[in-house]
Amino acid sequence: MTEIRGRVYLVGAGPGDPGLITLKGKECIEQADVVVYDYLAASELLGYAGKDAELIYVGKKGGDHTLAQDGINALLVEKASQGLVVTRLKGGDPFIFGRGGEEVEVLVEAGIAFEVVPGVTSAVAAPAYAGIPLTHRKFTSTVAFVTGHEDPHKESSNIDWQSLASGIGTLVFFMGVRNLEHITTQLMRHGMAANKPAALVGWGTTPRQRTVTGTLGTLTAIAAKAGMTPPALIVIGDVVGLRERMKWFERRPLLGKQIVVTRARKQASGFLKMLSNAGAECLECPTIEVVPPPSWDALDKAISRLSDYDWLIFTSVNGVSFFFERLFGSDRDSRALQHIHVAAIGPATAQRLMDFGIRCDIIPENYRAESVVAAFEGIPVSGKKILLPRAKDARSILPEALTRMGALVDDVTAYVTEIADHNVETMLTRLENGEIDCLTFTSSSTVRNFKLLLPPDKFDALVKKTRVACIGPITAETAESLGFGVDIVASEYTIPGLYAAMVDYFSAA
């Protein structure tokens, strides 16, 4: 019987920015039974893997390999020989100083089918994110990629230092931080001018990117003073001089800021994207999870007699989503609301209603319950029936105020927020180390739940080193009442408003 063999995809994961994965690389992760990944492969890429996929970390961090290369080779053969689809996720490009060639040789010898999916190499991406074009018609038409540390078991170097020093316009050295002095000395010894522009780009394309520049003769001292550590690329050539005009990535307003996002995971994606695009390193630590109520009876009963209501008021996107889920489940659609006036708190809630073809009659100027009350002051609601589908245990100010105005209010639970504890250990460790720059809160419940995740005896010590940003004054009041010092409060009580307030704060700082 023929032995069943699997397949191995050697996929270049790109230089660090998860957005630089190729479409084919993403597909290989999605269809993999096993993902074998490196230290430099962005962790976000693992989110593309199937829920049943086996994820195996093999290290490959400079000087600290969780699994030696021979062990990795054997692992690929073992998994593929079991008939599994294996995606070998390697930082950068597999065939540019990624030892992909060695892994392919082992697969060929074992008769394992394989494919190579090239990736965006850090040699190109990191300088580009640092504002350094490797070639330029006014400066050079040649570029060379060189390893910063050769095989330590080799008897002699096969790097032609003379040719590099005199015959190549731009040099890019991989993994050369620890050998920076040796590299610069060799180039100067073989004729390259000590005043040749040079740069060191650390953690290229990630929020931790840092770039220092100098000359061939000064870069070693400058890098040491700046505390530059691996992973980093050395770029040498006249094109480095273009960086001051062309740098863009490191001008982003939140570059390198570590920000904790406590919003529920389903609602966090837009906020995360805004922060990431501004250069922040985001840690998702959702403290609330939005779930259905224990019983749908109350909401279903209200939906069954929609014809009785004059007004429908939504206070959140979640309320809209759950309401329409139950409405459609009752074999009806938006036409059931044709006679009802609709109000919403905030543009996001109003936009969610537009997804169902419903335009709001009232959108308050400020995005809080008090503004809804104010908006209704000029509208006769006495004797009118109002349906208010919202979160369990929401603030009572809105139904109480409408009742005082003579309205008949049905305050119905459409969803429940529960405490969540994703990434808590990572978050606590970073807080203890003083690495978190900002905690973000988008509702009072996120604040309350977040505090429950912190050890009471360490609360003051953990939060005193970080900034706190709140979506509006109600959330800020809750945070302050629980002992948080609030530094940022959005003037517009929306996610874009919170983002803008954070950018303004950190830009000024």
Side-chain angles (χ1 to χ4, degrees):
M1 181 180 293
T2 303
E3 184 179 359
I4 298 175
R5 295 287 177 127
R7 176 178 293 270
V8 175
Y9 294 100
L10 266 70
V11 175
D17 182 344
L20 296 181
I21 186 76
T22 64
L23 290 175
K24 186 167 185 179
K26 175 176 174 285
E27 291 172 359
C28 292
I29 300 171
E30 291 171 337
Q31 68 185 49
D33 300 307
V34 182
V35 179
V36 179
Y37 64 101
D38 281 354
Y39 172 68
L40 292 178
S43 59
E44 292 92 335
L45 298 180
L46 300 178
Y48 296 127
K51 60 184 178 71
D52 296 323
E54 182 181 7
L55 307 178
I56 303 176
Y57 173 63
V58 293
K60 302 296 288 179
K61 180 180 178 180
D64 181 17
H65 292 188
T66 300
L67 191 63
Q69 186 62 51
D70 287 344
I72 295 172
N73 297 344
L75 177 65
L76 299 179
V77 172
E78 174 193 347
K79 294 296 183 180
S81 296
Q82 296 170 9
L84 301 174
V85 174
V86 181
T87 292
R88 172 71 173 103
L89 201 56
K90 303 171 70 67
D93 180 273
F95 278 8
I96 300 183
F97 302 121
R99 303 188 74 171
E102 297 171 45
E103 294 177 6
V104 166
E105 287 179 322
V106 172
L107 296 173
V108 170
E109 185 177 342
I112 302 294
F114 69 92
E115 292 184 29
V116 179
V117 181
V120 178
T121 173
S122 58
V124 172
Y129 273 49
I132 303 171
L134 296 184
T135 62
H136 191 290
R137 291 180 65 181
K138 293 181 180 179
F139 296 93
T140 182
S141 299
T142 59
V143 60
F145 300 156
V146 190
T147 180
H149 68 272
E150 294 182 90
D151 185 340
H153 302 295
K154 290 167 59 174
E155 294 183 1
S156 60
S157 172
N158 63 2
I159 296 177
D160 187 344
W161 292 104
Q162 184 65 52
S163 296
L164 292 178
S166 59
I168 305 295
T170 304
L171 301 177
V172 180
F173 286 85
F174 285 71
M175 304 164 290
V177 178
R178 293 190 176 95
N179 292 328
L180 180 56
E181 184 173 10
H182 170 72
I183 291 167
T184 55
T185 299
Q186 286 289 351
L187 291 171
M188 288 187 289
R189 182 177 296 164
H190 287 84
M192 184 174 282
N195 64 353
K196 179 69 71 175
L200 193 65
V201 185
W203 287 100
T205 80
T206 76
R208 287 185 272 179
Q209 178 173 308
R210 290 179 64 206
T211 304
V212 295
T213 58
T215 65
L216 193 63
T218 63
L219 188 62
T220 299
I222 290 172
K225 184 176 180 180
M228 298 292 284
T229 58
L233 284 174
I234 305 165
V235 186
I236 301 168
D238 292 335
V239 290
V240 173
L242 296 169
R243 167 174 156 78
E244 282 308 307
R245 280 187 294 160
M246 294 190 177
K247 66 181 180 182
W248 58 275
F249 185 74
E250 291 166 50
R251 296 187 192 276
R252 299 194 299 174
L254 299 179
L255 183 71
K257 300 300 181 187
Q258 291 202 39
I259 297 174
V260 173
V261 176
T262 59
R263 199 176 198 205
R265 180 161 288 176
K266 289 182 179 179
Q267 281 78 49
S269 59
F271 191 32
L272 288 168
K273 187 173 183 179
M274 289 180 189
L275 295 172
S276 297
N277 287 343
E281 181 178 354
C282 298
L283 174 62
E284 280 191 86
C285 188
T287 62
I288 63 172
E289 186 174 357
V290 178
V291 298
S295 171
W296 290 114
D297 290 347
L299 182 58
D300 288 345
K301 183 179 179 181
I303 289 174
S304 71
R305 47 189 181 86
L306 280 174
S307 59
D308 294 345
Y309 292 103
D310 301 288
W311 280 91
L312 181 57
I313 302 177
F314 292 101
T315 60
S316 70
V317 170
N318 291 319
V320 175
S321 298
F322 280 104
F323 174 86
F324 278 93
E325 178 183 326
R326 300 307 295 178
L327 178 68
F328 295 156
S330 67
D331 293 328
R332 283 182 286 180
D333 57 29
S334 300
R335 288 173 295 182
L337 306 182
Q338 60 183 331
H339 68 288
I340 300 178
H341 295 290
V342 179
I345 293 183
T349 306
Q351 181 56 54
R352 183 62 177 143
L353 279 166
M354 283 297 295
D355 293 340
F356 298 103
I358 304 298
R359 188 181 300 276
C360 289
D361 297 287
I362 294 178
I363 303 177
E365 291 184 7
N366 292 320
Y367 316 132
R368 52 194 292 190
E370 290 84 346
S371 297
V372 179
V373 175
F376 272 95
E377 286 178 351
I379 297 174
V381 296
S382 180
K384 301 296 184 181
K385 295 200 68 174
I386 297 177
L387 177 59
L388 185 59
R390 58 183 192 151
K392 185 178 184 294
D393 299 327
R395 295 171 69 218
S396 62
I397 183 170
L398 180 55
E400 289 177 353
L402 291 171
T403 299
R404 286 195 300 270
M405 295 166 71
L408 304 173
V409 181
D410 280 348
D411 187 5
V412 177
T413 298
Y415 63 95
V416 176
T417 58
E418 295 181 345
I419 190 168
D421 58 359
H422 303 287
N423 285 331
V424 171
E425 292 303 319
T426 300
M427 181 269 297
L428 288 175
T429 298
R430 293 188 185 182
L431 277 176
E432 288 176 351
N433 294 337
E435 298 171 357
I436 299 298
D437 296 285
C438 189
L439 303 173
T440 63
F441 298 116
T442 56
S443 67
S444 292
S445 57
T446 61
V447 183
R448 287 190 289 267
N449 289 359
F450 185 84
K451 184 168 185 180
L452 292 174
L453 299 175
L454 304 181
D457 59 329
K458 295 183 178 180
F459 175 79
D460 291 335
L462 289 174
V463 301
K464 72 178 182 181
K465 299 177 182 178
T466 186
R467 300 290 181 263
V468 172
C470 295
I471 199 168
I474 299 299
T475 305
E477 289 169 11
T478 302
E480 289 171 343
S481 71
L482 293 175
F484 292 90
V486 177
D487 305 277
I488 305 165
V489 181
S491 56
E492 179 182 294
Y493 317 146
T494 63
I495 291 300
L498 177 58
Y499 164 77
M502 292 172 65
V503 168
D504 289 345
Y505 178 88
F506 284 107
S507 295

